[in-house]
Amino acid sequence: MPGRSRHNERVSRDSDEVDRIVEAWVRQRPDLDFSPLEVLSRVARLARHLDIARKEAFRRSDIESWEWDVLSALRRAGEPYQLSPKQLLQQTLVSSGTMTNRIDRLVARRFVRREADPGDGRSILVTLTDDGRVRVDAAITRLVDAEALLLGGLSRGDRDRLATLLRKLSLGFDA
């Protein structure tokens, strides 16, 4: 099997835990192609490291990950940092009841405020407060720094190629 000999060469040079796991499986089940495991097991392991880095960035900014979802959506909207609850739902993919609860809790923390929609008196807009903007800006700075550390072993060209490949893969799921 040609893929197996290439795998053995890689294991002997620069190997990681996934290489060792795949090599053990290759010995036990030489009839299977383990190339998906080589890719997606690494993605899963990297996702765990990313999750840890994100939690730490948010903890240091005194926000929860669900708060980040709402605050970052508002910040990305640009001035005046307002979105309707419906727009927030679309960006965060939670139920309307969950969003109402989140907005209530963010209002209580003074990170957002509810305002009447000047274009429709029956509707409201959720607006990021100065305090909310300070928190989300601190969190994104910490997050970008942490993610840069995770990618520190890659050149800019490698990062660009990896981003292109991951985008290509994810487009099939996001359609």
Side-chain angles (χ1 to χ4, degrees):
M1 188 179 239
R4 193 171 47 189
S5 65
R6 269 187 302 133
H7 179 79
N8 287 340
E9 285 176 27
R10 285 193 311 271
V11 170
S12 64
R13 283 186 278 142
D14 297 314
S15 63
D16 63 4
E17 186 62 21
V18 173
D19 286 320
R20 289 184 281 282
I21 290 167
V22 168
E23 185 60 30
W25 275 116
V26 166
R27 283 192 306 275
Q28 298 304 312
R29 293 292 311 271
D31 57 311
L32 295 177
D33 173 14
F34 289 96
S35 60
L37 195 68
E38 290 182 277
V39 173
L40 297 176
S41 290
R42 286 185 175 94
V43 169
R45 287 169 180 265
L46 290 170
R48 286 195 292 270
H49 290 287
L50 177 59
D51 187 49
I52 291 166
R54 285 184 171 207
K55 284 179 181 173
E56 178 62 13
F58 300 152
R59 185 196 64 75
R60 290 182 57 215
S61 302
D62 192 29
I63 62 173
E64 300 292 329
S65 61
W66 65 266
E67 291 173 315
W68 162 259
D69 290 342
V70 177
L71 297 175
S72 66
L74 291 165
R75 182 65 168 98
R76 291 190 314 266
E79 287 203 50
Y81 311 118
Q82 291 180 327
L83 292 171
S84 69
K86 182 179 180 181
Q87 290 170 312
L88 286 169
L89 283 171
Q90 292 168 339
Q91 291 195 33
T92 59
L93 304 175
V94 297
S95 70
S96 62
T98 298
M99 181 54 66
T100 299
N101 180 274
R102 288 180 176 187
I103 293 168
D104 289 345
R105 292 170 68 187
L106 288 167
V107 166
R109 289 196 72 188
R110 297 190 173 114
F111 292 163
V112 304
R113 66 180 173 270
R114 288 183 172 94
E115 298 180 355
D117 184 343
D120 179 358
R122 298 169 297 164
S123 298
I124 66 156
L125 293 171
V126 179
T127 304
L128 188 64
T129 64
D130 288 342
D131 205 20
R133 190 176 56 76
V134 166
R135 296 294 173 118
V136 75
D137 283 355
I140 191 62
T141 300
R142 289 180 172 117
L143 182 58
V144 169
D145 289 347
E147 290 182 0
L149 283 174
L150 289 175
L151 294 173
L154 299 178
S155 69
R156 182 61 195 209
D158 285 344
R159 289 181 191 191
D160 291 345
R161 281 187 293 283
L162 181 58
T164 298
L165 290 170
L166 291 171
R167 181 183 307 106
K168 184 177 180 180
L169 182 61
S170 70
L171 283 172
F173 296 99
D174 294 341

